[in-house]
Amino acid sequence: MKKRRVLVIGGGPAGLMAAGQAAEAGAETLLLEKMKRTGLKLCITGKGRCNITNIAEISDFISHFGKTGPFLRQAFARFFNTDLMEFFNELGLELVTERGGRVFPASGKAPEVQRVLLQWNKRSGVRIRHSAPVDKILIHNERLTGVVSQGREIPCDAVILATGGVSYPATGSTGDGYHLSETAGHTVIPVRQALVPLETSGDEAKRMAGLNLRNVNVRMLINGRKKREEFGEIVFTEFGMTGPAILTLSGAAVDSLQSGHKVTLSLDLKPALDEKKLDARLQRDIASRGKEQISSLLRGLIPREMVPVCLDLTRIPADRPVCNISAKERTRLRSWLKDFRLEVTGYRPFAEAIVTAGGIDTREIDPRTMESRKTKGLFIAGELLDIQADTGGYNLQAAFSTGWLAGRNAAQITNGSEKKQGVGPC
Ligand SMILES: Cc1cc2nc3c(=O)[nH]c(=O)nc-3n(C[C@H](O)[C@H](O)[C@H](O)COP(=O)(O)OP(=O)(O)OC[C@H]3O[C@@H](n4cnc5c(N)ncnc54)[C@H](O)[C@@H]3O)c2cc1C
């Protein structure tokens, strides 16, 4: 029997998983990657350590994706975090689970993940062509018939489009899939930055650039009203703020700014102490360290780099003896420690955004198979879809799960009679 010919466009995590699965399911599989190497973005994930997945249970996992999360339920039902961990273990990649349920390769090296995936692809019989951008997909009678790469037509039975989003474009993710999918009848939900550092007004952040704070409660106010809050790590930068807590809030901040709303961050630098306890602590310090200058007392409360900013914003002279601090000044200091506000004026470009929000409308994709509802034989996987999650390994799991499903199903379709239920677990 003639083997089905499956073509995978894009060699990121979604494409590599899809290609290997299609080949293992018996298809003749060709992967076309436009860069000189596959998995360039994968190699820089998790600060070079690659946070592959998260051990959260399925409902919690899906809640990290926002509105389009439920679309992934069927993909996760077939290939989820424990399946992925087992898959990598079988490829000889040892894994460790860290704080927050985050799973990493034990070696701490993201390129190891790329290497085992590539080796597995080759063993499974996937042919990989590098420096081979796909410029066009060919469709006849609402059915996919092939692609064009560098002016050459390549016929096939199914195409898996896994070209990623538009963030970190130097890794090859330049948004080609949006245009390609539009030619196949798809709607692209406007793309915008997510998990992106934020820019703030004033020079406070710049004056503290490089300072990393671990236990901060960050409230995000939209037009003065609390919208969300996050507890965790923040980092001040030359232009504003980043760090896990800020990145998690950034998607909602971008959407609010784009809608013309005012976005403010309110930092609680002493979340373990309520106002009363913090006031008692300040009064104790003032009583016992009266001869010191205020700046010296503050160094016991906040990092040294924050002291000049705190004194400016609370309007307390740096050389004021602690015994001369007035009740009003103490109140201002307490309020600032619990509610240090920075106005968000913008966000960094796609080149600095960890993921792309928006993408191909998931309502146009069959969640059981990842096949397009617009063009038969076209499958879509990974970040190109309108799915995006918080940090924590969720985005890579989504790329692997959708890639798995697309690969298996693309290989199974025979002569136009698609398997409507999708394939079962391995
Ligand atoms: C700095 C950084 C750190 C991250 N860390 C994590 C993490 O630790 N955990 C996590 O879960 N997520 C992380 N992410 C997000 C995660 O990397 C992405 O969600 C994931 O890579 C998406 O996979 P993908 O296969 O859909 O797309 P991509 O990884 O973007 O791959 C797309 C591929 O398609 C190729 N391509 C594009 N156009 C064409 C074309 N026309 N023809 C042929 N090939 C084409 C590209 O060259 C690329 O190789 C991180 C992202 C960044 C930028």
Side-chain angles (χ1 to χ4, degrees):
M1 202 175 78
K2 194 172 163 282
K3 275 190 167 187
R4 283 190 57 74
R5 190 156 201 229
V6 173
L7 229 142
V8 181
I9 312 178
L16 286 167
M17 176 59 87
Q21 292 301 338
E24 288 207 335
E28 182 190 323
T29 310
L30 173 66
L31 189 152
L32 298 172
E33 165 56 53
K34 81 166 173 191
M35 304 299 277
K36 285 188 187 142
R37 284 175 49 205
T38 55
L40 282 180
K41 186 177 282 180
L42 188 58
C43 290
I44 57 163
T45 53
K47 295 187 179 141
R49 297 179 57 222
C50 188
N51 181 192
I52 289 172
T53 186
N54 194 292
I55 57 165
E57 56 84 30
I58 196 155
S59 302
D60 181 14
F61 209 104
I62 285 173
S63 72
H64 286 274
F65 284 83
K67 270 200 290 224
T68 53
F71 167 79
L72 292 165
R73 190 170 283 279
Q74 309 219 35
F76 288 163
R78 292 191 168 79
F79 188 78
F80 194 38
N81 48 12
T82 49
D83 306 303
L84 184 66
M85 289 161 72
E86 204 180 304
F87 167 83
F88 277 120
N89 281 329
E90 278 171 13
L91 296 186
L93 190 75
E94 216 183 300
L95 302 171
V96 287
T97 304
E98 298 189 0
R99 197 169 43 92
R102 295 164 188 245
V103 180
F104 295 87
S107 66
K109 292 181 182 146
E112 284 286 291
V113 181
Q114 190 262 357
R115 186 181 60 78
V116 296
L117 277 172
L118 201 58
Q119 284 176 349
W120 167 68
N121 264 249
K122 288 181 179 160
R123 273 199 311 277
S124 309
V126 178
R127 283 187 304 131
I128 300 181
R129 215 175 274 168
H130 295 106
S131 307
V134 169
D135 313 309
K136 203 172 166 189
I137 49 181
L138 303 171
I139 299 162
H140 182 66
N141 285 343
E142 295 179 359
R143 167 162 282 285
L144 197 127
T145 57
V147 305
V148 177
S149 175
Q150 297 167 302
R152 262 188 58 205
E153 278 192 22
I154 311 175
C156 60
D157 302 301
V159 160
I160 300 169
L161 196 52
T163 51
V166 270
S167 40
Y168 277 67
T171 61
S173 322
T174 50
D176 299 9
Y178 302 129
H179 169 66
L180 293 172
S181 65
E182 274 170 346
T183 64
H186 282 284
T187 314
V188 177
I189 307 290
V191 293
R192 61 237 183 252
Q193 294 93 321
L195 300 184
V196 67
L198 298 175
E199 296 174 346
T200 54
S201 66
D203 66 350
E204 289 86 12
K206 192 180 170 125
R207 289 169 68 191
M208 298 183 284
L211 176 65
N212 180 321
L213 301 176
R214 279 185 180 274
N215 300 310
V216 179
N217 197 53
V218 187
R219 287 179 297 262
M220 190 171 74
L221 314 175
I222 307 295
N223 294 334
R225 296 182 63 181
K226 189 177 108 181
K227 166 123 176 168
R228 278 186 68 174
E229 66 186 312
E230 273 300 311
F231 177 80
E233 193 178 336
I234 62 167
V235 182
F236 293 99
T237 68
E238 288 288 320
F239 49 79
M241 295 173 76
T242 186
I246 301 296
L247 294 177
T248 301
L249 295 169
S250 66
V254 170
D255 288 347
S256 297
L257 287 170
Q258 289 194 351
S259 305
H261 299 309
K262 185 175 173 198
V263 181
T264 311
L265 296 175
S266 156
L267 311 184
D268 181 350
L269 303 169
K270 294 285 165 199
L273 300 176
D274 62 21
E275 296 257 351
K276 216 169 139 196
K277 282 191 185 141
L278 180 60
D279 199 48
R281 156 99 194 257
L282 288 174
Q283 290 201 46
R284 256 196 335 269
D285 282 0
I286 289 168
S288 63
R289 300 169 65 177
K291 288 191 184 138
E292 293 176 36
Q293 291 185 341
I294 180 67
S295 48
S296 142
L297 180 140
L298 282 177
R299 283 198 289 274
L301 277 170
I302 50 176
R304 176 181 295 269
E305 300 90 325
M306 294 194 100
V307 172
V309 172
C310 167
L311 290 170
D312 281 357
L313 294 174
T314 53
R315 306 188 304 283
I316 305 175
D319 56 359
R320 167 83 46 95
V322 169
C323 59
N324 289 349
I325 298 290
S326 69
K328 274 191 179 159
E329 285 168 335
R330 196 184 77 231
T331 305
R332 286 208 297 274
L333 184 56
R334 190 189 65 215
S335 303
W336 183 82
L337 289 166
K338 295 294 285 177
D339 184 14
F340 168 23
R341 292 192 178 203
L342 294 114
E343 196 191 331
V344 179
T345 49
Y347 41 87
R348 301 302 287 166
F350 274 113
E352 294 174 40
I354 289 175
V355 292
T356 305
I360 297 178
D361 193 334
T362 52
R363 289 168 296 189
E364 299 170 352
I365 308 295
D366 184 342
R368 297 165 303 179
T369 60
M370 294 298 135
E371 189 176 16
S372 159
R373 295 189 201 274
K374 302 278 179 185
T375 299
K376 290 287 158 221
L378 175 64
F379 294 77
I380 299 178
E383 200 175 315
L384 174 59
L385 292 162
D386 177 24
I387 46 170
Q388 59 279 324
D390 298 333
T391 56
Y394 308 103
N395 287 294
L396 279 175
Q397 178 71 51
F400 287 126
S401 294
T402 54
W404 186 94
L405 207 51
R408 294 251 152 172
N409 283 285
Q412 298 258 326
I413 297 166
T414 48
N415 302 326
S417 57
E418 292 79 6
K419 287 200 166 183
K420 288 295 178 204
Q421 294 310 308
V423 293
C426 286

